[in-house]
Amino acid sequence: MHYDIVIVGGGAGGLELAAQLGRKLGKSLGGERVLLIDKFPFHIWKPTLHEVAAGTLDAHQEGLSYTVLARRNHFSFTMGEFSGLDAQRKSITLAAIQNPEGEEIVPSRIISFKRLVLALGSGSNSFGTPGIENAYLLENVRDAQRFHQDWLSESARASFSSERVLSIAIVGAGATGVELSAELLEAYAALLESLGSNQRFRLDITLVEGGDRILGGLPPKISEQATIALKRKQVKVLVNTRVQELRKGLLITSAGDIAADMIVWAAGIKAADSNAQLGLEVNRLNQFVVDDRLRTSVPEIYALGDCAAAPWVDGKTVPARAQAAHQQASYLAKMFGAMLNEQEVDEPYVYQDFGSLVSLGTTRASEI
Ligand SMILES: Cc1cc2nc3c(=O)[nH]c(=O)nc-3n(C[C@H](O)[C@H](O)[C@H](O)COP(=O)(O)OP(=O)(O)OC[C@H]3O[C@@H](n4cnc5c(N)ncnc54)[C@H](O)[C@@H]3O)c2cc1C
């Protein structure tokens, strides 16, 4: 199989790029020249994963089928897990696909390209903390659904236990941790309404942050306001608290031990370790180092979104945000569109920070 442009990863950045290019090229050419690859059959907008985890959003209703999106936006899609790159031959390998019984249903495939865009996103950064397997992560829809299932089970357990308490510790008070706290309170309020008074339980949420304020990437005023709002909702906010180890139901921290029925790790991002094996330059977060044209260290291979370290101001790199992935997709769509039409356009990518929205929900936590 050969395509002019192969995009690996159909998240906030990759899907946008495929759709913009497909629409530019139109019905007759788009599907012939642009291929999007993702390991899942459905796209879920990652910034909504905390809502899927809390159950305030249904992934089955919100998930968008790549096949349908491809048909509507005139690009090709194939499901598969990117597992190797041959930069010299300009080809990638997709791993074999197995069914749930472990039988191979699609063999490993090789796809060649003229230009490759890596839009693989990122996962969690455990910072080497021992016992990370005792925490829930929110890296993809499976993680979010797993958390939701267990949250329902734990809620049921709490409502029939003698203590009548469900305790949740969230490590990391960036936007994900803060929004998850608020979303769980929303879900809890809805749950209480469905329970008889003899089944009600208390939800204790503790937000644990290593830095000296929550929402450290945002202006201090926002941190202050969010802290006040969370405390008003009875969320316990601990700052300057470093998690040293996680055990089942227990966080060992610089401020003492914290018991929790469920622990969520939302303390930062890191790209896949396998990125470092591809022969492309990566940084300490395994992000592909790109220049201001989003080019990696190998010609005709580009990277965007969370998996890319693109230069920004004061020696910093562009933050890992959906708005950055989206802007980078639009930039590459413009550049590639011009190249495909054999036009010369040469302008750098410049990140525009349009600010961030942090949702703190609407509901006050109810008391039993
Ligand atoms: C809970 C949560 C809330 C957030 N809220 C916000 C917010 O409010 N605002 C904001 O700007 N940002 C937010 N973010 C960050 C934002 O989601 C990311 O910055 C953004 O999704 C990055 O886009 P991307 O295209 O780089 O990666 P992603 O959107 O993560 O997409 C990566 C894609 O690559 C696919 N993939 C990965 N590996 C492979 C492989 N080996 N083979 C094939 N496919 C692969 C994945 O399945 C996925 O579809 C939030 C993140 C989380 C987790």
Side-chain angles (χ1 to χ4, degrees):
M1 255 202 278
H2 174 88
Y3 286 85
D4 285 341
I5 297 170
V6 171
I7 304 158
V8 194
L15 176 59
E16 179 68 30
L17 175 59
Q20 285 197 30
L21 281 173
R23 289 198 297 264
K24 263 188 219 295
L25 288 168
K27 207 170 178 175
S28 55
L29 277 181
E32 296 298 312
R33 302 182 75 175
V34 179
L35 174 70
L36 177 69
I37 298 166
D38 202 281
K39 59 184 172 181
F40 292 114
F42 290 95
H43 168 84
I44 264 276
W45 179 243
K46 198 173 180 184
T48 60
L49 281 187
H50 60 289
E51 295 170 59
V52 175
T56 49
L57 188 132
D58 182 351
H60 296 291
Q61 279 183 0
E62 292 297 316
L64 300 168
S65 151
Y66 285 115
T67 313
V68 172
L69 291 166
R71 188 163 48 87
R72 286 196 188 143
N73 295 284
H74 318 306
F75 59 87
S76 283
F77 171 74
T78 193
M79 195 171 95
E81 180 154 9
F82 169 65
S83 62
L85 166 69
D86 186 334
Q88 270 194 329
R89 290 211 169 102
K90 288 189 149 188
S91 68
I92 60 165
T93 307
L94 300 186
I97 301 179
Q98 297 176 334
N99 66 14
E101 287 72 46
E103 291 157 24
E104 185 173 297
I105 49 172
V106 180
S108 170
R109 287 160 288 164
I110 303 240
I111 296 170
S112 66
F113 58 83
K114 196 166 166 195
R115 293 194 180 93
L116 174 69
V117 182
L118 297 168
L120 298 161
S122 62
S124 312
N125 193 345
S126 72
F127 301 98
T129 310
I132 189 73
E133 62 281 2
N134 293 306
Y136 293 88
L137 307 176
L138 281 188
E139 295 184 350
N140 54 48
V141 71
R142 275 190 210 145
D143 292 340
Q145 286 173 323
R146 183 177 144 244
F147 175 89
H148 182 61
Q149 276 303 321
D150 290 359
W151 146 265
L152 291 177
S153 308
E154 284 293 321
S155 298
R157 184 198 52 72
S159 47
F160 291 105
S161 70
S162 48
E163 295 84 15
R164 303 285 182 94
V165 179
L166 170 56
S167 55
I168 300 189
I170 300 171
V171 184
T176 302
V178 168
E179 290 194 322
L180 178 64
S181 309
E183 212 60 40
L184 286 173
L185 289 171
E186 296 278 310
Y188 168 65
L191 198 64
L192 280 195
E193 280 176 27
S194 70
L195 295 176
S197 54
N198 58 345
Q199 285 175 33
R200 294 198 169 175
F201 65 94
R202 197 179 77 225
L203 175 66
D204 285 349
I205 299 182
T206 307
L207 197 51
V208 186
E209 168 59 41
D212 60 2
R213 62 186 175 96
I214 68 168
L215 298 172
L218 300 181
K221 183 91 194 131
I222 307 268
S223 304
E224 266 170 51
Q225 287 168 345
T227 304
I228 293 168
L230 288 172
K231 286 189 174 166
R232 214 178 277 146
K233 288 165 181 271
Q234 285 99 48
V235 174
K236 194 169 172 190
V237 180
L238 301 178
V239 291
N240 293 313
T241 305
R242 301 219 154 256
V243 175
Q244 293 154 340
E245 189 183 337
L246 297 178
R247 295 193 192 148
K248 198 168 167 12
L250 190 71
L251 292 88
I252 318 275
T253 82
S254 55
D257 296 355
I258 302 167
D261 298 309
M262 301 177 84
I263 302 169
V264 183
W265 188 267
I269 64 122
K270 191 173 181 189
D273 290 342
S274 52
N275 289 358
Q277 316 302 321
L278 299 175
L280 306 174
E281 186 188 348
V282 293
N283 66 7
R284 62 187 171 79
L285 294 178
N286 294 326
Q287 291 170 308
F288 303 110
V289 175
V290 295
D291 65 8
D292 61 3
R293 267 81 177 160
L294 305 182
R295 295 175 294 209
T296 68
S297 53
V298 170
E300 310 298 3
I301 301 183
Y302 300 73
L304 61 73
D306 285 10
C307 74
W312 192 28
V313 286
D314 304 328
K316 290 189 280 191
T317 56
V318 173
R321 292 200 192 139
Q323 60 167 320
H326 187 276
Q327 286 174 24
Q328 291 173 341
S330 297
Y331 167 81
L332 281 185
K334 186 174 165 195
M335 293 297 121
F336 290 169
M339 288 173 196
L340 288 167
N341 287 327
E342 291 173 8
Q343 290 165 348
E344 280 284 316
V345 185
D346 186 29
E347 59 185 65
Y349 163 71
V350 182
Y351 173 58
Q352 304 278 328
D353 192 340
F354 293 114
S356 301
L357 268 182
V358 180
S359 160
L360 295 178
T362 52
T363 315
R364 241 166 193 268
S366 315
E367 286 176 325
I368 55 168

